[in-house]
């Protein structure tokens, strides 16, 4: 395997610049993670010819492998999320770490932090990925500090293994495999990009009694899990009058009667507005999460070029809901003073007004009950004793357990 070995001084300068940026943005918060990012040569783990500017960009992920349709199935994650996940898991010298989803660079960072007395195991289901990771780790000087294992991590690791102090899952997981929890030491932390009805949060979990509670969460996207832990989306195509399509993507159940949407894009579009506003540059990612877990018929949207939606991309976001024979999607319109936008909904179908109104009501509920409040996550493995969940707790049933999301009550509700 050939990798492009950039001039050492030039690569080191880019490495330091990346670390400086991650520190300035408070993405890196510990000396151990800072040292790892200043030490490990990220450019040795990306494709030959990748420019240093791209390799050491804070936000860039770099594809490792694509499927026959060109979809990325393995990648080196963006530096910012690698740093945050390692900070989330709270590593120290001498710890043992299991990485699920291999690539090489992240495992080298882990090895650098836990040191020679630590232990890193990196597992992946794809032989091409593990062979590549093993070779690149050797080239970068970490081959004797990381065990790369070819296996489906949905199942227990082959051979005897002591429980790990930390587990990092670096692929999008719909559920937590029982094998992961069996491999996690008492008091250990698992960090996992958990998919919740199509919306992902990178959550740090720690055991508390018979279940897991969140210690941190971050917004990020990951390539989906392969193998036994895979969860395929169901995609429904809505044709417009010109033969182009809008795709509705469902992850946790398809609403009944989708055939009622046939021809829906030929109906007149309606809209409703919430009065809920947001300033430019302010994140509203938790609105997406709120809709995913509380909005009946929730789906993600994608629009082919040539559709009306494609021509209006700056005025909507790819989240919506099916409402019988109609569907609505999250929209925004600029405020008159130009300082921000108002949330609303646009809809198609005979009952488009009702569909848009239902979505607007959820926007208003988020604004009143969850906005600017950090959600807490929990995971209850199958067989654990679960309490009665309140109406403000979202409950998502998984294959191996139940995940929950709750927002702290407002001051008025707490009284």
């Amino acid at each position: 395997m050939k990798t492009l070995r950039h001039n050492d001084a030039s690569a080191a300068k880019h490495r330091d610049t990346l670390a400086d940026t991650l520190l300035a943005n408070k993405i890196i918060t510990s000396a151990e993670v800072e040292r790892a990012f200043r030490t490990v040569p990220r450019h040795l783990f990306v494709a030959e010819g990748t420019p240093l500017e791209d390799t050491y960009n804070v936000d860039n992920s770099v594809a490792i492998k694509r499927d026959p349709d060109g979809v990325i199935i393995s990648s080196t994650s963006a530096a910012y999320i690698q740093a945050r996940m390692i900070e989330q898991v709270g590593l120290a010298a001498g710890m043992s770490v299991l990485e699920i989803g291999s690539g090489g660079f992240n495992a080298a960072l882990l090895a650098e932090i836990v040191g020679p007395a630590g232990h890193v195991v990196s597992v992946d289901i794809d032989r091409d990925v593990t062979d590549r990771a093993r070779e690149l780790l050797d080239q970068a000087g970490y081959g004797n500090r990381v065990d790369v294992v070819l296996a489906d991590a949905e199942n227990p690791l082959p051979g005897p293994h002591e429980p790990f102090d930390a587990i990092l899952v670096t692929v999008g997981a719909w559920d937590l495999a029982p094998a992961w929890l069996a491999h996690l030491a008492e008091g250990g932390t698992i960090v996992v990009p958990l998919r919740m009805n199509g919306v992902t949060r990178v959550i740090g979990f720690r055991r508390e009694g018979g279940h897991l509670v969140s210690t941190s969460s971050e917004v990020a996207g990951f390539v989906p899990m392969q193998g036994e832990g895979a969860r395929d989306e169901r995609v429904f195509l809505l044709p417009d009058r010109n033969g182009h399509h809008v795709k509705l993507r469902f992850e946790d159940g398809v609403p009944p009667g989708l055939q009622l949407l046939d021809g829906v894009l030929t109906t007149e579009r309606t809209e409703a507005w919430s009065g809920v506003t947001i300033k430019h540059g302010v994140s509203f990612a938790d609105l997406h999460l709120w809709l995913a877990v509380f909005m009946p018929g929730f789906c993600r949207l994608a629009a082919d070029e040539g559709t009306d939606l494609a021509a209006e991309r700056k005025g909507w976001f790819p989240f919506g809901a099916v409402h019988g024979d109609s569907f609505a999607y999250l929209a925004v319109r600029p405020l008159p003073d130009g300082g921000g936008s108002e949330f609303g909904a646009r809809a198609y179908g005979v009952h488009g007004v009702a569909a848009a109104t239902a979505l607007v009501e959820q926007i208003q509920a988020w604004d009143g009950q969850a906005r600017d409040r950090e959600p807490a996550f929990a995971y209850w493995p199958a067989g654990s004793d679960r309490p009665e969940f309140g109406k403000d707790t979202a409950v998502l049933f998984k294959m191996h357990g139940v995940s929950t999301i709750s927002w702290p009550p407002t001051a008025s509700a707490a009284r």
Side-chain angles (χ1 to χ4, degrees), residues 363-414:
I363 295 169
Q364 293 167 337
W366 165 79
D367 183 57
Q369 301 175 41
R371 188 170 185 169
D372 300 325
R373 288 183 280 279
E374 289 292 327
F377 303 86
Y379 184 85
W380 307 78
S384 59
D385 292 329
R386 300 198 301 263
E388 290 292 327
F389 300 115
K391 62 181 178 62
D392 295 329
T393 296
V395 181
L396 299 175
F397 291 91
K398 305 287 187 176
M399 179 68 70
H400 305 299
V402 170
S403 63
T404 62
I405 313 166
S406 57
W407 280 263
T410 62
S412 59

Side-chain angles (χ1 to χ4, degrees), residues 233-273:
E233 292 182 320
R234 297 282 300 277
V235 181
F236 189 79
L237 301 180
L238 299 180
D240 69 6
R241 56 175 56 87
N242 298 314
H244 304 297
H245 292 92
V246 170
K247 301 179 181 70
L248 306 186
R249 313 179 76 93
F250 300 91
E251 183 174 87
D252 285 352
V254 178
L258 282 182
Q259 69 275 6
L260 298 175
L261 293 175
D262 286 348
V264 71
L265 293 180
T266 64
T267 64
E268 183 178 356
R269 190 180 70 183
T270 57
E271 58 186 39
W273 297 97

Side-chain angles (χ1 to χ4, degrees), residues 98-361:
L98 172 62
E99 179 192 40
I100 297 171
S102 199
F105 175 67
N106 200 62
L109 291 171
L110 301 175
E112 190 66 39
I113 294 169
V114 302
H119 182 211
V120 178
V121 175
S122 182
V123 60
D124 200 282
I125 196 173
D126 191 320
R127 183 178 296 277
D128 290 342
V129 173
T130 55
D131 287 349
R132 180 182 185 276
R134 194 176 291 113
E135 183 170 349
L136 293 179
L137 285 162
D138 281 339
Q139 292 181 14
Y142 294 93
N144 63 345
R145 296 170 63 179
V146 178
D147 293 330
V148 181
V149 177
L150 174 65
D152 186 340
E154 186 77 3
N155 304 307
L157 290 177
H161 286 277
E162 293 295 321
F164 292 91
D165 298 309
I167 298 177
L168 271 78
V169 183
T170 62
V171 288
W174 183 77
D175 199 1
L176 274 65
W180 303 350
L181 304 186
H183 283 308
L184 185 64
E186 190 66 33
T189 300
I190 180 170
V191 176
V192 54
L194 186 61
R195 290 162 49 192
M196 294 165 285
N197 205 10
V199 175
T200 300
R201 289 293 179 272
V202 181
I203 306 172
F205 283 115
R206 183 165 292 151
R207 274 203 177 99
E208 186 174 290
H211 69 293
L212 304 177
V213 296
S214 63
T215 56
S216 60
S217 66
E218 301 288 340
V219 178
F222 281 79
V223 297
M225 183 78 66
Q226 301 178 57
E228 292 182 25
R231 176 79 172 190
D232 293 332
E233 292 182 320
R234 297 282 300 277
V235 181
F236 189 79
L237 301 180
L238 299 180
D240 69 6
R241 56 175 56 87
N242 298 314
H244 304 297
H245 292 92
V246 170
K247 301 179 181 70
L248 306 186
R249 313 179 76 93
F250 300 91
E251 183 174 87
D252 285 352
V254 178
L258 282 182
Q259 69 275 6
L260 298 175
L261 293 175
D262 286 348
V264 71
L265 293 180
T266 64
T267 64
E268 183 178 356
R269 190 180 70 183
T270 57
E271 58 186 39
W273 297 97
S274 66
V276 178
T277 63
I278 192 165
K279 294 181 180 179
H280 292 313
V282 176
S283 173
F284 54 95
D286 276 351
L287 172 57
H288 307 158
L289 183 63
W290 178 276
L291 295 176
V293 298
F294 285 121
M295 185 76 211
F298 178 84
C299 61
R300 294 188 299 123
L301 278 69
D304 287 351
E305 292 301 326
T307 59
D308 291 341
L309 268 71
E312 302 171 0
R313 289 193 193 279
K314 293 183 179 181
W316 60 278
F317 293 88
F319 304 98
V322 171
H323 189 86
D325 58 4
S326 306
F327 83 97
Y329 55 95
L330 180 63
V332 290
R333 64 180 179 183
L335 294 175
D337 63 5
S341 299
E342 179 186 5
F343 293 113
R346 296 192 176 99
Y348 287 93
V350 175
H351 297 94
V353 172
T357 300
L359 182 51
V360 161
E361 288 173 350

